């Protein structure tokens, strides 16, 4: 019965035959154990027809979850670091962790404590995070292939209602993105979840569409690479594409190989400081060529002037005399 409960928690719906095959029992045993789970408070729903089966629905009370050792350690570890990219989740994560650690066996508490002791988290200021309730709504819509509506704020600050068929959620750094088919624009789009408000399921389910990319990560990378930016700089350097990607960590779609020993990288950003930092990482040397936005030039000149002033200060600062080595006595 516990194995049955574990299966019901891993998928939205199961047919009776699938459950019987997985557990190696009869349909009669499945029906009996389903009844026992219901008596214990688990809201197991039944559906009829050719696609009928069983599903674990949401109930008025949250029933106990069944976790194996690895799942319990993974959840506890994730809760300790659940502060990146999602707004207002830190306090809830602490409460959930306290409840989980109360029921963990001693051997698992030692594992979780060891991971926590050996791990340090850098508190990066990543800007606005995604709303956890919005993430939950969108994740359910992706799972159920259900059309959603929401209000979206564009880069220019304007807002507009949107209607889309969600495909998947992708985390890039500290940003959450929704990949969906926009039914009004009749095209695939990416939406930053922190710019998205009031997501609501419509109750209308659709057949899944084929994503025009190998996977959601490739699709997001291609869209980000093609997104317009205020400043652009094209740099051709005497290095192969793999070396350029390793140095700059730019998206592969923005690096183009020019033979075995040269490549061109397209740098783009709304903040000129980002391009300057990528230039330092790229470290273009003799034989490099540059082409880009003229508006970028004064910003790069300011950075260059700042570096010259720092270098001048370092070279003119009086340095203390080097300490003499202590004298030693002859023995």
């Amino acid at each position: 019965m516990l194995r049955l409960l574990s299966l019901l928690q891993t998928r939205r719906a199961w047919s009776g035959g699938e459950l019987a095959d997985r557990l190696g029992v009869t349909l009669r045993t499945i029906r009996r154990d389903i009844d026992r789970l219901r008596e214990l408070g688990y809201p197991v729903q039944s559906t009829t027809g050719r696609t009928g089966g069983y599903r674990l629905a949401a109930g008025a009370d949250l029933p106990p979850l069944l976790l194996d050792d690895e799942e319990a350690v993974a959840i506890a570890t994730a809760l300790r670091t659940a502060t990146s990219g999602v707004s207002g989740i830190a306090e809830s994560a602490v409460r959930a962790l306290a409840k989980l650690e109360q029921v963990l066996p001693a051997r698992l508490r030692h594992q979780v404590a060891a991971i926590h002791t050996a791990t340090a988290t850098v508190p990066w200021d990543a800007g606005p995070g995604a709303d956890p309730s919005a993430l939950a709504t969108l994740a359910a819509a992706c799972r159920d292939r259900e059309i959603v509506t929401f209000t979206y704020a564009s880069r220019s600050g304007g807002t507009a209602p949107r209607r889309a068929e969600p495909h998947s959620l992708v985390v890039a750094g500290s940003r959450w993105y929704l990949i969906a088919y926009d039914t009004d624009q009749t095209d695939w789009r990416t939406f930053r979840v922190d710019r998205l408000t009031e997501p609501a399921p419509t109750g209308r389910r659709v057949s899944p569409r084929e994503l025009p990319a190998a996977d959601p990560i490739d699709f997001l990378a291609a869209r980000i690479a093609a997104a317009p930016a205020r400043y652009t700089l094209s740099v051709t350097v005497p290095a192969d594409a793999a070396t350029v990607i390793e140095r700059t960590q730019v998206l592969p779609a923005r690096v183009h190989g020019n033979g075995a020993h040269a490549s061109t990288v397209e740098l783009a950003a709304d903040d000129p400081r980002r391009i300057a930092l990528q230039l330092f990482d790229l470290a273009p040397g003799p034989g490099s060529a540059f082409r880009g936005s003229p508006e970028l030039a004064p910003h790069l000149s300011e950075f260059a002037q700042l570096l010259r002033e720092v270098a001048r200060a370092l070279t003119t600062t009086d340095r203390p005399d080097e300490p003499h080595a202590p004298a030693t006595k002859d023995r």
Side-chain angles (χ1 to χ4, degrees):
M1 187 176 64
L2 292 177
R3 291 175 58 203
L4 170 62
L5 177 60
S6 180
L7 288 176
L8 290 173
Q9 291 174 348
T10 60
R11 208 167 84 182
R12 180 173 176 81
W14 293 85
S15 69
E18 289 175 325
L19 292 172
D21 291 340
R22 284 292 190 97
L23 299 174
V25 298
T26 64
L27 282 173
R28 181 179 178 181
T29 300
I30 294 296
R31 288 192 290 268
R32 182 193 64 198
D33 287 346
I34 290 291
D35 289 338
R36 292 176 64 188
L37 287 175
R38 288 168 176 161
E39 292 173 1
L40 292 172
Y42 292 91
V44 183
Q45 296 180 345
S46 301
T47 57
T48 59
R50 188 176 61 180
T51 59
Y54 301 99
R55 61 187 295 266
L56 189 62
D61 298 319
L62 181 65
L65 295 177
L66 184 66
L67 302 173
D68 61 28
D69 288 2
E70 292 182 355
E71 291 170 340
V73 172
I75 291 175
T77 303
L79 288 172
R80 286 189 179 276
T81 56
T83 58
S84 176
V86 184
S87 297
I89 201 174
E91 182 180 348
S92 300
V94 170
R95 293 200 308 267
L97 179 62
K99 294 178 181 179
L100 180 59
E101 290 188 334
Q102 277 185 333
V103 297
L104 283 179
R107 68 181 188 281
L108 298 186
R109 283 201 302 271
H110 293 327
Q111 292 183 32
V112 174
I115 294 173
H116 176 64
T117 302
T119 304
T121 303
V122 177
W124 295 110
D125 181 10
D131 179 65
S133 61
L135 284 175
T137 299
L138 296 173
C142 291
R143 178 196 64 195
D144 300 336
R145 300 302 178 194
E146 183 176 359
I147 294 178
V148 294
T149 59
F150 51 85
T151 300
Y152 192 69
S154 65
R155 295 174 61 187
S156 60
T159 60
R162 309 300 282 264
R163 182 182 177 90
E165 301 174 10
H167 181 278
S168 51
L169 290 166
V170 179
V171 186
S174 61
R175 300 289 188 200
W176 286 80
Y177 292 87
L178 170 68
I179 296 177
Y181 184 84
D182 191 316
T183 58
D184 294 328
Q185 301 296 325
T186 63
D187 196 9
W188 288 92
R189 292 287 191 271
T190 60
F191 302 96
R192 269 180 46 178
V193 179
D194 61 288
R195 294 179 179 170
L196 183 154
T197 57
E198 302 176 346
T202 62
R204 181 184 174 187
R205 298 185 181 180
V206 293
S207 300
R209 294 180 184 268
E210 183 177 355
L211 188 68
D215 56 47
I217 295 176
D218 286 346
F219 180 82
L220 177 64
R223 286 303 175 103
I224 293 177
R230 183 176 181 181
Y231 302 102
T232 60
L233 180 65
S234 176
V235 185
T236 300
V237 294
D240 59 87
T243 301
V244 170
I245 294 174
E246 183 179 358
R247 288 178 183 173
T248 60
Q249 300 296 308
V250 299
L251 295 169
R254 286 183 171 170
V255 180
H256 311 284
N258 303 330
H261 304 291
S263 57
T264 299
V265 56
E266 306 292 341
L267 304 179
D270 291 332
D271 187 346
R273 292 176 296 179
R274 180 171 178 80
I275 293 182
L277 292 174
Q278 289 179 319
L279 269 176
F280 289 129
D281 292 335
L282 184 60
S288 299
F290 307 90
R291 178 171 48 86
S293 307
E295 299 82 6
L296 183 61
H299 296 287
L300 295 181
S301 295
E302 290 180 9
F303 297 134
Q305 179 62 29
L306 173 62
L307 292 177
R308 282 193 293 268
E309 291 175 0
V310 172
R312 187 180 305 111
L314 294 178
T315 55
T316 58
T317 299
D318 293 331
R319 297 182 179 179
D321 294 335
E322 293 293 333
H324 296 287
T328 58
K329 295 181 178 181
D330 295 332
R331 293 188 178 180

